[in-house]
């Protein structure tokens, strides 16, 4: 009889201990679907450090799971155990594009959005020796002939967004795919292609050195780094595009823990030291809550779907 | 005089400590299969946030240099290339270790690495802005011609031309798995999403060279009990050095030039250098049997690539390979965007980096030489235990790279393939070269033809393209011409 009481007491004790546990009591993993050292990876490492300071008691670590243009790691995030200890970097390519190409085993509906961390603004640049130097001469050229525009990979965000711009502006382009944006930038600085889309930080040094010229930015208005460069929108082409990354998680995380994560992320992104480091890295920090992030992903997904269908690439890898 | 003043901060004790620690850490990371110099640099970037720029960047460069060197340790002792760059070192390093000359092989590798690094660092410090222009001359046709030239190594490396060609073609076919470089369509993945990026390179090499050797050992184990190999010595003899001098110079030069060309990498450099050393040697038949100049050629080249790759990074802001791309991140986080402007606005940083590469090279040499007796003790472990430990390393190393279970299948598959090839006299080296250069050739051929509108004449019209295509023809035809002349002379 005594034994029973002790057992029951122990059981109740164990249960209450479980109920009263405080998330997080073990390390939170941020899965990055790209190799160590890239822009997304470095941003996430900075974020992990900041989140650690803003979620009480948390240890936040980064795990790289590259491959398949981000599909492998993103799938791992979405199909992870929904206990709040596995979250991941949700980037534009794997979330908004890959499902339309048929190379992902998930859709946007499977994603729990935590919050947006940053965007990569886009600027179209004229490469060395290109036959155009500003927006107007570029458009005039592209009405006649298709300029060769380099991108960082076939079917990637860089490729699709350029085709989407061509569609919106009513011009022809010939996309030349490269294995990554630094390969494309090498070809651009050497004059082997005529134009490409780059992030402002990537382009800035080359522009300063005079090798390449900025044509237009793909934002609503002008941006700080290139105050003299028009936006496509002010020139009458209704087109904006930026790539982005945030934190996503599998669906089904307990509501209370989700709150801790979302609040923690918000504070971590607002952190001054984080913002400074991100700025130095050339990243554009912008926080958006889960709903705005989700809406952004949906919007780009719809734009991309139409372009991918036009290119005949819809579900090509199914 | 300013320049000397810029070098002074390097000699503060904490900066020296950081470089030394980075280099030592790099060597360990490079020696462990599955941990690469890239990962080492990426993982340690957060550590450098709080450091002054010269200290932080040079610590990263130390890891980079140490990491590329460290790869030769496991390649020589265990036939397990820790980094793709050291795959070619396996050819002569491992036979030397089996012949009881492990210490000497490692010593040669250390000396060669230091030579290559020193040569390339001097070039970096004196000619960086001038040479950087070369990097920009390479468009798709030029890359294709270079890759094609590299592929001709297969013909001269394999004793049996037909079997060599079969291995090479197989390698090119295998490298087609994964996303098509131009259209993005997935090829030959059979619906397995893990293969979407193709077979991962390092797991494939680990299987091809290390696991296959384990299988071969297993076949022998039951029959003979081998005595543990001797591991004495660490300095190559005067004779070795004299024979290797030619290989060292050529390797350093080839490595530096390949390093300057973005996107070709140290794997390419070591194979081209190995082939050149063999081609110009008086005793080419001794290559592949444990011949010191073979190691001198590959290690000098792959180390020279390190400093060579810093040239386009610093002078143009263009990273030549993955590691330098990561280094660029490390620089930018310090608020220093590399590019032509950096030379003018922050000469102190540039000179600091130049000085840092020299210091890291010296540390690499000292630590490398000190570690030889410790590292080569591993060969005293009884063969059967060592063999089983290598199996464990193969699996851990292959998984650690991408945390992708599919890589384990890749590793085992390539292990079985490599074992079969070894057994029936097909060259594993040929397959390895094709895996490295096949994708470079394919992507650039198709990209170039896309840009010229499928005009072959326009494609091959550039001077650099013609130069490399000419070299390709010569390197294929020369053995035949020489053989014919020899026959005529004999007759």
């Amino acid at each position: 009889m005594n034994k029973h009481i002790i057992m029951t007491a122990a059981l109740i004790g164990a249960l209450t201990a479980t109920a009263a546990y405080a998330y997080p009591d073990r390390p939170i993993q941020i899965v990055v679907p790209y190799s160590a050292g890239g822009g997304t990876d470095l941003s996430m490492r900075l974020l992990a450090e900041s989140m650690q300071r803003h979620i009480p008691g948390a240890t936040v670590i980064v795990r790289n799971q590259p491959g398949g243009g981000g599909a492998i790691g993103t799938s791992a995030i979405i199909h992870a155990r929904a206990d709040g200890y596995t979250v991941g970097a949700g980037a534009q390519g794997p979330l908004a594009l890959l499902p339309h190409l048929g190379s992902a085993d998930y859709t946007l509906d499977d994603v729990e959005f935590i919050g947006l961390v940053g965007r990569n603004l886009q600027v179209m640049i004229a490469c060395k020796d290109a036959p155009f130097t500003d927006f107007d001469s570029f458009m005039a050229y592209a009405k006649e002939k298709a300029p060769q525009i380099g991108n960082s990979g076939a079917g990637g965000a860089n490729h699709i967004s350029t085709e989407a711009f061509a569609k919106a502006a009513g011009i022809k382009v010939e996309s030349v795919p490269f294995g990554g944006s630094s390969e494309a930038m090498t070809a651009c600085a050497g004059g082997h292609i005529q134009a490409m889309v780059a992030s402002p930080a990537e382009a800035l040094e080359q522009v300063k050195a005079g090798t390449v010229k900025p044509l237009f930015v793909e934002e609503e208005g002008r941006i700080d780094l290139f105050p003299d460069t028009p936006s496509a929108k002010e020139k009458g082409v209704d087109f904006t595009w930026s790539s982005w990354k945030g934190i996503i998680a599998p669906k089904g995380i307990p509501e209370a823990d989700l709150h801790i994560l979302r609040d923690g992320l918000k504070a971590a992104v607002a952190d001054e030291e984080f913002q400074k480091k991100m700025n130095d890295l050339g990243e554009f920090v912008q926080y958006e809550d889960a709903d705005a992030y989700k809406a952004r992903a949906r919007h780009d997904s719809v734009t991309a779907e139409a372009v991918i269908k036009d290119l005949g690439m819809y579900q090509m890898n199914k | 005089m300013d320049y000397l003043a810029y070098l002074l901060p390097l000699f503060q004790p904490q900066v020296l400590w950081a470089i030394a620690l980075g280099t030592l850490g790099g060597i360990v990371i490079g020696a462990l299969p599955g941990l690469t110099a890239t990962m080492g640099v990426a993982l340690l970037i957060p550590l450098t946030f709080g450091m002054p720029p010269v200290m932080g960047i040079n610590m990263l460069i130390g890891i980079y240099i140490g990491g590329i060197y460290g790869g030769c340790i496991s390649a020589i002792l265990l036939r397990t290339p820790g980094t793709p760059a050291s795959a070619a070192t396996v050819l002569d390093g491992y036979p030397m270790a089996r012949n009881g000359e492990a210490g000497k092989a490692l010593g040669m590798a250390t000396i060669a690495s230091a030579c290559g690094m020193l040569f390339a660092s001097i070039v970096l410090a004196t000619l960086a802005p001038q040479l950087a222009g070369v990097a920009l001359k390479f468009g798709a046709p030029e890359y294709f011609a270079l890759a094609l030239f590299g592929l001709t190594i297969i013909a001269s490396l394999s004793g049996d031309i037909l079997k060599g060609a079969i291995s090479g073609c197989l390698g090119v076919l295998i490298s087609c798995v994964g996303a098509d470089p131009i259209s993005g369509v997935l090829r030959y993945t059979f619906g397995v999403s893990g293969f979407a990026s193709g077979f991962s390179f390092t797991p494939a090499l680990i299987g091809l060279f290390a696991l296959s050797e384990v299988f071969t050992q297993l076949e022998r184990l039951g029959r003979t009990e081998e005595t543990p190999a001797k591991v004495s010595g660490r300095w190559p003899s005067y004779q070795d050095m004299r024979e290797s001098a030619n290989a060292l110079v050529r390797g350093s030069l080839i490595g530096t030039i390949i390093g300057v060309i973005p996107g070709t990498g140290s794997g390419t450099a070591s194979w081209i250098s190995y082939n050149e050393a063999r081609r110009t040697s008086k005793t080419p038949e001794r290559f592949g049997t444990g011949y010191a100049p073979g190691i001198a050629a590959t290690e000098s080249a792959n180390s020279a690539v390190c400093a060579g790759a810093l040239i386009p990074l610093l002078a143009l802001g263009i990273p030549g390979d993955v590691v330098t791309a990561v280094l660029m991140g490390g620089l930018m986080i310090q608020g220093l965007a590399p590019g032509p402007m950096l030379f003018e606005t922050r000469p102190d940083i540039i000179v600091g980096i130049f000085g840092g590469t020299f210091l890291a090279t010296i540390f690499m040499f000292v630590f490398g030489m000190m570690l030889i007796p410790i590292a080569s003790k591993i060969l005293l472990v009884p063969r059967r235990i060592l063999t089983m430990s290598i199996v464990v390393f193969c699996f851990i190393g292959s998984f650690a790279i991408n945390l992708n279970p599919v890589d384990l299948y890749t590793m085992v598959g390539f292990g079985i393939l490599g074992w079969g090839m070894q057994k029936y006299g097909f060259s594993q080296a040929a397959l390895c070269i094709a895996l490295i250069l096949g994708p470079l050739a394919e992507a650039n051929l198709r990209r170039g033809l896309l840009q010229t509108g499928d005009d072959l004449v326009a494609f091959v019209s550039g001077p650099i393209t013609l130069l490399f295509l000419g070299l390709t023809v010569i390197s294929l035809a020369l053995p035949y011409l020489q053989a014919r002349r020899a026959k005529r002379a004999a007759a």
Side-chain angles (χ1 to χ4, degrees), chain A residues 183, chain B residues 140 142-148 151 175 181 261-265 268 434-447:
Chain A
E183 245 185 58
Chain B
E142 286 82 7
Y143 276 114
F144 169 72
L146 174 68
L148 196 67
L151 281 170
S175 72
I261 304 169
T264 36
T268 315
L435 284 180
I436 296 176
L437 294 174
L440 190 68
E442 191 213 344
N444 284 295
L445 175 66
R446 294 183 50 199
R447 188 177 303 134

Side-chain angles (χ1 to χ4, degrees), chain B residues 342-362:
Chain B
L342 195 60
F343 277 77
E344 284 160 33
T345 53
R346 297 298 299 271
D348 55 322
I349 299 292
I350 297 285
V351 174
I353 291 175
F354 290 166
T357 50
F358 278 103
L359 286 178
T361 308
I362 295 167

Side-chain angles (χ1 to χ4, degrees), chain A:
Chain A
M1 189 60 200
N2 242 348
K3 229 180 194 174
H4 253 165
I5 293 170
I6 294 169
M7 288 262 286
T8 321
L11 200 66
I12 291 169
L15 279 176
T16 44
T18 324
Y21 93 114
Y23 171 85
D25 64 350
R26 34 193 188 93
I28 301 174
Q29 281 193 340
I30 301 182
V31 176
V32 173
Y34 303 106
S35 307
T40 307
D41 176 65
L42 288 177
S43 315
M44 287 302 146
R45 282 175 198 279
L46 290 171
L47 182 70
E49 190 201 39
S50 182
M51 278 173 80
Q52 206 152 297
R53 278 184 275 124
H54 291 280
I55 302 180
T59 308
V60 186
I61 54 173
V62 168
R63 191 178 86 188
N64 300 86
Q65 225 169 326
I72 294 174
T74 306
S75 168
I77 301 163
I78 290 169
H79 299 121
R81 195 178 302 163
D83 54 7
Y85 291 104
T86 308
V87 298
Q92 186 181 43
L95 290 184
L97 271 57
L98 292 184
H100 303 308
L101 296 171
S103 31
D105 58 358
Y106 52 81
T107 66
L108 268 186
D109 298 327
D110 305 328
V111 180
E112 181 77 78
F113 290 88
I114 307 292
L116 190 78
V117 174
R119 293 197 294 137
N120 286 90
L121 311 187
Q122 313 270 310
V123 49
M124 179 79 83
I125 55 177
C127 298
K128 188 169 166 263
D129 303 330
F132 37 78
T133 52
D134 56 13
F135 183 85
D136 296 325
S137 54
F138 171 74
M139 291 300 279
Y141 182 88
K143 287 249 154 52
E144 300 289 316
K145 268 186 177 163
Q148 293 189 344
I149 303 188
N151 63 58
S152 59
N158 217 227
H159 176 198
I160 302 301
S161 72
T162 301
E163 296 284 353
F165 172 79
K167 189 177 169 186
I171 57 167
K172 283 175 287 186
V173 294
E174 180 170 15
S175 288
V176 183
F178 286 85
S181 65
S182 63
E183 245 185 58
M185 184 54 95
T186 310
C188 184
H192 303 287
I193 48 175
Q194 294 173 317
M196 71 176 281
V197 173
S199 75
E202 241 179 331
L204 190 62
E205 284 304 303
Q206 304 295 338
V207 170
K208 273 195 206 158
T211 15
V212 306
K213 295 192 175 58
L215 296 174
F216 59 89
V217 293
E218 301 182 349
E219 286 295 299
E220 296 279 338
R222 301 193 175 201
I223 62 173
D224 293 345
L225 279 182
F226 293 104
D228 302 327
T229 307
S231 68
K233 201 140 186 181
E234 74 175 75
K235 285 287 187 177
V237 180
D238 187 19
F239 178 79
T240 57
W241 185 276
S242 60
S243 84
W244 37 257
K245 54 201 154 235
I247 293 290
I248 56 166
K251 281 208 160 157
I253 295 178
E255 203 56 40
D257 299 350
L258 208 54
H259 267 294
I260 297 177
L261 265 176
R262 286 189 169 139
D263 293 345
L265 181 72
K266 187 174 179 184
V269 176
D271 184 274
E272 230 167 77
E273 200 186 321
F274 170 74
Q275 297 219 346
K276 188 189 167 304
K277 291 276 180 234
M278 286 289 277
N279 251 327
D280 288 341
L281 198 59
E283 298 280 342
F284 185 85
V285 179
Q286 180 176 341
Y287 176 78
E288 275 175 11
D289 66 10
D291 290 331
Y293 180 16
K294 188 176 184 174
R296 182 179 284 282
R298 286 215 182 283
H299 173 266
D300 285 0
S301 177
V302 171
T303 314
E305 187 175 10
V307 176
I308 287 169
K309 279 185 173 155
D310 286 349
L311 290 173
M313 295 171 87
Y314 190 69
Q315 299 298 346
M316 69 177 181
N317 287 329
K318 198 75 190 170

